[in-house]
């Protein structure tokens, strides 16, 4: 849904602007994009829920940011461990910060979140209004109710839109638009994404595969969209991008990224903790879970591949990739994991046994911590080490999974077909990383992105501009699209 958080600051269509043979809209790209996301989220109620839950997430992050800032950590240490009493005031609201710099950073962070929250509320109200009109389009023009989405696929929706145009024309500014077939609709929805896919698949951004997981993060992806792609694509028109303009924009946004980096880091840390604390507490084994990197999520994507189809394909490939990688885990990992699991479980078992004999024993302190604390910690360690234990199926070898994996990935370097299994394992690992380290990659990326924009991207500005200008072709009344995403011509090998 991130792609749908674009500023939709205009009404895409009007309930009273349709007649028997015309249907007026103001932006065909945004209209079809909203039609797709309405289908993807299976109706109006899910989209409204998504937007309001996102606002609540920001509000909760803001609330707990303030709560953590005003906890009196010194008094918290004075709580009595013997009877678990805590008579001291754990909050401190006066003279909270010792120096003006800390106070400035904190309150700047709070103000930025409040401004972002205010903007999201305003934007959500506009989006919800627009999606209400999309609901009207589905219900009255296509005769599709929300409950029917569960039994329809995207191709069914495209067929309905084509049939709708047999008797009705879309009009923009009193100008009739020729019938939009499936390929035209998809090209409009995927216009910007196709350019991004081409930048990555052709390695125009010039990042070596072994560094992509470290350098290519959500912060860099956002800046690529804003600095490079957002200005060159204006609906069906193409704005020729100039090296001088791109370099200037890279400088400006690099400085802005650097200024806001401390606040972005604070938000990422708090939001990550609130999102994952309960998940890891319930199932610590998720710490060892692998997932595809941000770069891989674009590297393996097909041109004109809708997000729901791609997400399904990538999810299937994730399971196979885990099985493939497990074939190369040295048995010593299992041996050590079983040993540490046994050790931590034994410590927990002994402490629980003592507690069953006399529960007062659990209030005994070791290094200022009672046994309850140690039970919680060692139980967590035991679950984490246990997650490293794998049951090896000796009847399967890596090649049993690699063929299926490559079929699911589809868009992979051609030389992977001639690699042996070990070499393929090394290549896969560049794009398939531990999910837990996502936090550290994103935090590092916040500071690496400004540097990367001012050095690497700045030096490659002429290459990026030339590629984007040369790879743009006109596709009927759709306007300019990336030539590698052209349905009618196979230019991918050029």
């Amino acid at each position: 849904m991130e792609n749908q958080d674009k500023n939709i600051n205009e009404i895409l269509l009007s309930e009273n602007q349709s007649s028997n043979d015309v249907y007026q809209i103001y932006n065909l790209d945004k209209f079809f994009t909203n039609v797709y996301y309405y289908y993807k989220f299976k109706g109006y109620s899910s989209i409204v829920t998504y937007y309001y839950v996102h606002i609540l997430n920001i509000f909760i992050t803001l609330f707990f940011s303030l709560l953590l800032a005003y906890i009196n950590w010194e008094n918290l240490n004075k709580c009595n461990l013997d009877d678990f009493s805590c008579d001291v005031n754990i909050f401190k609201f006066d003279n909270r910060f010792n120096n003006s710099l800390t106070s400035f950073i904190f309150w700047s962070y709070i103000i930025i979140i409040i401004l972002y929250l205010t903007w999201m509320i305003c934007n959500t109200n506009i989006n919800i209004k627009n999606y209400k009109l999309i609901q009207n389009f589905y219900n009255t023009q296509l005769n599709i109710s929300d409950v029917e989405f569960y039994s329809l696929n995207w191709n069914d929706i495209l067929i309905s839109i084509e049939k709708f145009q047999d008797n009705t024309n879309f009009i923009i500014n009193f100008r009739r638009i020729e019938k939009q077939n499936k390929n035209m609709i998809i090209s409009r929805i995927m216009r910007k994404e196709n350019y991004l896919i081409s930048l990555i698949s052709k390695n125009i951004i010039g990042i070596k595969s072994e560094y992509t997981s470290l350098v290519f993060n959500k912060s860099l992806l956002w800046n690529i969209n804003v600095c490079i792609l957002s200005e060159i694509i204006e609906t069906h028109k193409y704005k020729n991008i100039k090296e001088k303009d791109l370099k200037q924009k890279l400088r400006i946004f690099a400085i802005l990224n650097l200024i806001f980096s401390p606040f972005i880091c604070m938000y990422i840390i708090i939001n990550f903790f609130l999102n994952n604390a309960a998940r890891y507490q319930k199932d610590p084994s998720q710490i060892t879970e692998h997932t595809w990197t941000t770069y891989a999520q674009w590297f393996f994507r097909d041109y004109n591949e809708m997000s729901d189809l791609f997400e399904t394909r990538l999810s299937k490939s994730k399971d196979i990739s885990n099985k493939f990688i497990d074939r190369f885990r040295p048995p010593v990992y299992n041996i050590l994991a079983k040993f540490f699991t046994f050790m931590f479980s034994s410590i927990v078992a002994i402490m629980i046994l003592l507690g069953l004999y006399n529960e007062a024993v659990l209030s005994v302190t070791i290094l200022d911590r009672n046994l309850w604390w140690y039970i919680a910690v060692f139980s967590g360690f035991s679950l984490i080490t246990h997650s490293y234990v794998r049951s090896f199926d000796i009847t399967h070898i890596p090649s049993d999974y690699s063929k299926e994996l490559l079929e699911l990935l589809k868009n992979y370097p051609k030389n992977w077909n001639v690699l042996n299994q070990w070499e393929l394992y090394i290549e896969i690992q560049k794009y398939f990383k531990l999910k837990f380290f996502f936090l550290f990659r994103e935090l590092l990326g916040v500071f690496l992105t400004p540097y990367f924009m001012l050095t690497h991207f700045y030096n490659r500005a002429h290459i990026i501009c030339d590629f984007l200008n040369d790879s743009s072709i006109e596709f009927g009344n759709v306007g300019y699209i990336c030539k590698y995403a052209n349905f009618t011509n196979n230019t991918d090998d050029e």
Side-chain angles (χ1 to χ4, degrees), residues 283-302:
D283 184 12
S285 65
Q286 291 192 26
I287 293 177
T288 64
E289 197 175 282
H290 284 71
T291 190
W292 295 109
T293 64
T294 304
Y295 184 87
Q297 292 172 27
W298 291 95
F299 183 73
F300 295 123
R301 189 169 180 178
D302 264 336

Side-chain angles (χ1 to χ4, degrees), residues 38-100:
Y38 191 93
Y39 153 77
K40 182 180 178 181
F41 276 78
K42 308 302 180 187
Y44 183 73
S45 59
S46 296
I47 289 179
V48 171
T49 302
Y50 168 83
Y51 275 110
Y52 282 125
V53 166
H54 185 57
I55 289 175
L56 288 174
N57 285 342
I58 299 171
F59 178 79
I60 291 172
T61 302
L62 173 64
F63 173 77
F64 281 104
S65 297
L66 288 168
L67 185 68
L68 291 172
Y70 282 97
I71 289 179
N72 191 327
W73 300 98
E74 293 181 2
N75 284 353
L76 205 61
N77 284 327
K78 297 177 182 177
C79 292
N80 196 332
L81 289 172
D82 296 329
D83 56 4
F84 297 99
S85 63
C86 196
D87 299 327
V88 296
N89 186 3
I90 64 172
F91 292 101
K92 181 180 181 182
F93 296 100
D94 56 326
N95 299 322
R96 183 67 194 93
F97 301 104
N98 297 325
N99 59 72
S100 56

Side-chain angles (χ1 to χ4, degrees), residues 5-171:
D5 287 333
K6 306 168 184 173
N7 290 331
I8 313 175
N9 296 322
E10 55 190 329
I11 303 300
L12 300 177
L13 50 88
S14 175
E15 292 175 297
N16 299 319
Q17 286 180 323
S18 61
S19 64
N20 292 331
D21 62 342
V22 296
Y23 201 86
Q24 181 169 330
I25 57 178
Y26 293 95
N27 187 314
L28 207 53
D29 281 23
K30 289 182 179 179
F31 171 73
F32 285 135
T33 301
N34 283 345
V35 167
Y36 169 70
Y37 277 101
Y38 191 93
Y39 153 77
K40 182 180 178 181
F41 276 78
K42 308 302 180 187
Y44 183 73
S45 59
S46 296
I47 289 179
V48 171
T49 302
Y50 168 83
Y51 275 110
Y52 282 125
V53 166
H54 185 57
I55 289 175
L56 288 174
N57 285 342
I58 299 171
F59 178 79
I60 291 172
T61 302
L62 173 64
F63 173 77
F64 281 104
S65 297
L66 288 168
L67 185 68
L68 291 172
Y70 282 97
I71 289 179
N72 191 327
W73 300 98
E74 293 181 2
N75 284 353
L76 205 61
N77 284 327
K78 297 177 182 177
C79 292
N80 196 332
L81 289 172
D82 296 329
D83 56 4
F84 297 99
S85 63
C86 196
D87 299 327
V88 296
N89 186 3
I90 64 172
F91 292 101
K92 181 180 181 182
F93 296 100
D94 56 326
N95 299 322
R96 183 67 194 93
F97 301 104
N98 297 325
N99 59 72
S100 56
L101 178 61
T102 305
S103 178
F104 171 77
I105 293 176
F106 173 76
W107 286 112
S108 297
Y109 164 75
I110 295 298
I111 291 171
I112 290 171
I113 292 186
I114 291 174
L115 291 174
Y116 177 58
L117 181 61
T118 304
W119 178 82
M120 276 301 303
I121 292 172
C122 296
N123 195 49
T124 293
N125 290 330
I126 294 172
N127 289 338
I128 288 176
K129 183 179 180 181
N130 290 331
Y131 277 115
K132 188 66 178 177
L133 299 174
I134 296 295
Q135 182 187 42
N136 178 71
F137 172 75
Y138 268 110
N139 294 343
T140 62
Q141 306 301 322
L142 301 185
N143 296 317
I144 297 175
S145 63
D146 286 2
V147 294
E148 293 180 79
F149 287 121
Y150 295 96
S151 57
L152 297 174
N153 58 38
W154 175 237
N155 189 60
D156 296 327
I157 305 299
L158 292 175
I159 292 173
S160 296
I161 295 175
E162 286 184 330
K163 289 181 179 178
F164 165 75
Q165 294 175 87
D166 290 339
N167 301 315
T168 307
N169 291 107
F170 289 115
I171 62 171

Side-chain angles (χ1 to χ4, degrees), residues 263-293:
F263 314 118
I264 296 173
C265 282
M266 291 172 65
Y267 181 83
I268 289 175
I269 292 172
I270 296 175
N271 190 260
F272 181 87
F273 174 77
L274 296 177
N275 271 326
N276 297 284
R279 186 186 309 166
Y280 289 145
Q281 187 273 334
K282 182 179 179 181
D283 184 12
S285 65
Q286 291 192 26
I287 293 177
T288 64
E289 197 175 282
H290 284 71
T291 190
W292 295 109
T293 64

Side-chain angles (χ1 to χ4, degrees), residues 378-389:
F378 285 115
S379 295
F381 286 160
S382 175
L383 289 171
I384 292 172
T385 54
H386 180 70
S387 68
Y388 277 95
V389 178

Side-chain angles (χ1 to χ4, degrees), residues 403-416:
K403 183 179 179 180
E404 184 179 357
L405 176 59
L406 293 180
E407 287 176 353
L408 286 169
L409 293 179
K410 296 171 65 174
N411 295 320
Y412 54 86
K414 293 180 180 179
N415 69 310
W416 284 15

Side-chain angles (χ1 to χ4, degrees), residues 411-427:
N411 295 320
Y412 54 86
K414 293 180 180 179
N415 69 310
W416 284 15
N417 290 319
V418 297
L419 298 178
N420 61 45
Q421 296 301 304
W422 175 256
E423 291 170 335
L424 181 60
Y425 163 73
I426 298 298
E427 290 298 318

